Amino acid sequence: MTTTALPQITEQVETPVASAVRVGLCAYKKRLPPWLFYDSDGSRLFDEITQVSEYYLTRIEREIFTAHAADLIAQAGQAGQSDSLVRLRITELGAGSADKTRLLLKAAVERQQTVLYEPVDVSASALESARERIEREIPGVEVVPRVMDYTRGLDLEPLVEGESRMVLYIGSSIGNFEPHEAAGILEIIRAGLEPGDTLLLGVDLRKDEATLLAAYDDAEGVTARFNLNVLARLNRELAADFDLESFAHCAVWNSDKSRIEMHLESLTDQRVKLPALDLEVEFAAGERIHTENSYKYAPGQAEGMLSAAGFKPEITWTDPRGWFAVCLGRAE
Ligand SMILES: C[S@@+](CC[C@H](N)C(=O)[O-])C[C@H]1O[C@@H](n2cnc3c(N)ncnc32)[C@H](O)[C@@H]1O
């Protein structure tokens, strides 16, 4: 009898970062997914963006919360058809540093003395600093962070008797997704909820092009550093040799699609090595890597998206100029 050696099969399981980079940089039109921005440097740079004067999104959403936090929490806490009050448990997707969220958590503590807050994010460093700050500054809030990619499904802790879940999906995060992906995420959220639970969706509204472009290309260059940090991250984590000086940040308004696009443009013909992926990628001068979209919605559009995903839109809060909208939908 003869024996034949079977070929050796080596298991090669790439990390999510490695496989996203391989797929994105080998595509005909090169791209990288926006969640890659948020390593610890990227999360810190995003917090810096929220402080620059041109980035109106955070400032206006915070103004809306400052003016309406108590109403917003009271409305979410009304249990469906009846007027009986329930205890809210607050879950936030893509919480980051949760800076604005503190306004809602304070209102929830005023209403019900204590609140369980479950921030979800891909950035462990952002969640850790959020937890430390919230528990120090707002007694009554218990923070239970989860490092998780919410696009892969929500595996939420079950509620206890008398509780209702309020999901926060704020900061215009939904705008990073193509319309069909955004619809899919709202469906994922709805699938994790019980009828009567609520979703608070924060969306950026369409406005003049100069204001939009300035928000994504600030004079101090903080957004440029944030965008370029994705290449620095690939240098750190995949031993790549991107020369950050030979790529430029570029923000474009795509009126047909109603979105701001961020790209990194190669300034020369060049070849970049990514040894951890056993890959070399060529760039022609002027070629771009598409790193982010930020969709800008028409008034009423977010409410339509909520309805399509199985939520009844109840109230929308906005600012006097109608630049940003915060919509509360209730799971039907
Ligand atoms: C634009 S920031 C918004 C932060 C905060 N919600 C705000 O309103 O300022 C997006 C946040 O979502 C997180 N994030 C992005 N994609 C994610 C994903 N697929 N799963 C979980 N978190 C994600 C990022 O790490 C980042 O903290």
Side-chain angles (χ1 to χ4, degrees), residues 59-287:
R59 191 171 59 250
I60 294 184
E61 196 176 40
R62 183 183 291 111
E63 283 167 14
I64 295 172
F65 289 170
T66 303
H68 301 293
D71 303 344
L72 222 145
I73 290 292
Q75 181 68 24
Q78 291 200 351
Q81 305 297 321
S82 81
D83 276 346
S84 64
L85 295 182
V86 293
R87 283 185 60 77
L88 290 175
R89 179 189 290 218
I90 298 182
T91 304
E92 179 167 5
L93 306 184
S97 65
D99 189 56
K100 282 169 281 154
T101 311
R102 292 176 307 136
L103 294 162
L104 302 179
L105 293 172
K106 281 181 189 157
V109 168
E110 273 173 30
R111 174 183 182 268
Q112 61 189 49
Q113 282 78 53
T114 60
V115 65
L116 188 66
Y117 171 55
E118 307 167 316
V120 169
D121 207 289
V122 285
S123 171
S125 62
L127 287 178
E128 197 38 57
S129 49
R131 173 175 37 194
E132 192 276 318
R133 182 174 180 198
I134 289 168
E135 290 192 337
R136 177 166 40 83
E137 289 185 2
I138 322 178
V141 181
E142 183 187 349
V143 184
V144 184
R146 303 233 351 242
V147 180
M148 191 173 88
D149 176 350
Y150 57 71
T151 63
R152 293 168 184 262
L154 287 183
D155 178 21
L156 299 172
E157 287 292 314
L159 298 175
V160 298
E161 178 80 30
E163 268 189 328
S164 171
R165 183 171 256 120
M166 179 186 195
V167 173
L168 311 180
Y169 194 31
I170 58 177
S172 172
S173 288
I174 187 97
N176 292 149
F177 295 93
E178 302 279 351
H180 70 279
E181 294 170 332
I185 289 172
L186 295 181
E187 281 165 16
I188 287 174
I189 297 171
R190 174 63 193 85
L193 299 183
E194 297 296 328
D197 290 346
T198 49
L199 167 61
L200 191 72
L201 186 63
V203 294
D204 195 17
L205 301 178
R206 203 169 162 136
K207 57 189 65 61
D208 68 280
E209 182 174 341
T211 302
L212 289 168
L213 279 174
Y216 292 85
D217 196 7
D218 61 279
E220 283 175 55
V222 183
T223 312
R225 291 204 291 284
F226 172 74
N227 198 6
L228 283 159
N229 176 62
V230 77
L231 302 184
R233 178 177 187 178
L234 305 193
N235 287 351
R236 286 190 290 270
E237 293 186 21
L238 301 176
D241 64 353
F242 281 99
D243 171 14
L244 271 54
E245 302 285 308
S246 46
F247 285 87
H249 165 67
C250 141
V252 178
W253 168 241
N254 181 334
S255 171
D256 290 346
K257 298 204 164 174
S258 195
R259 71 187 191 199
I260 287 281
E261 298 174 1
M262 294 209 312
H263 300 262
L264 289 164
E265 183 169 316
S266 176
L267 299 176
T268 62
D269 291 340
Q270 55 182 316
R271 173 182 281 259
V272 176
K273 296 195 185 73
L274 296 101
L277 301 185
D278 200 14
L279 185 68
E280 289 194 7
V281 183
E282 287 196 16
F283 292 89
E287 188 178 357

Side-chain angles (χ1 to χ4, degrees), residues 42-76:
S43 295
R44 188 180 42 71
L45 282 163
F46 178 75
D47 280 343
E48 271 184 52
I49 289 175
T50 66
Q51 316 279 323
V52 302
S53 58
E54 295 95 326
Y55 197 77
Y56 61 84
L57 293 87
T58 305
R59 191 171 59 250
I60 294 184
E61 196 176 40
R62 183 183 291 111
E63 283 167 14
I64 295 172
F65 289 170
T66 303
H68 301 293
D71 303 344
L72 222 145
I73 290 292
Q75 181 68 24

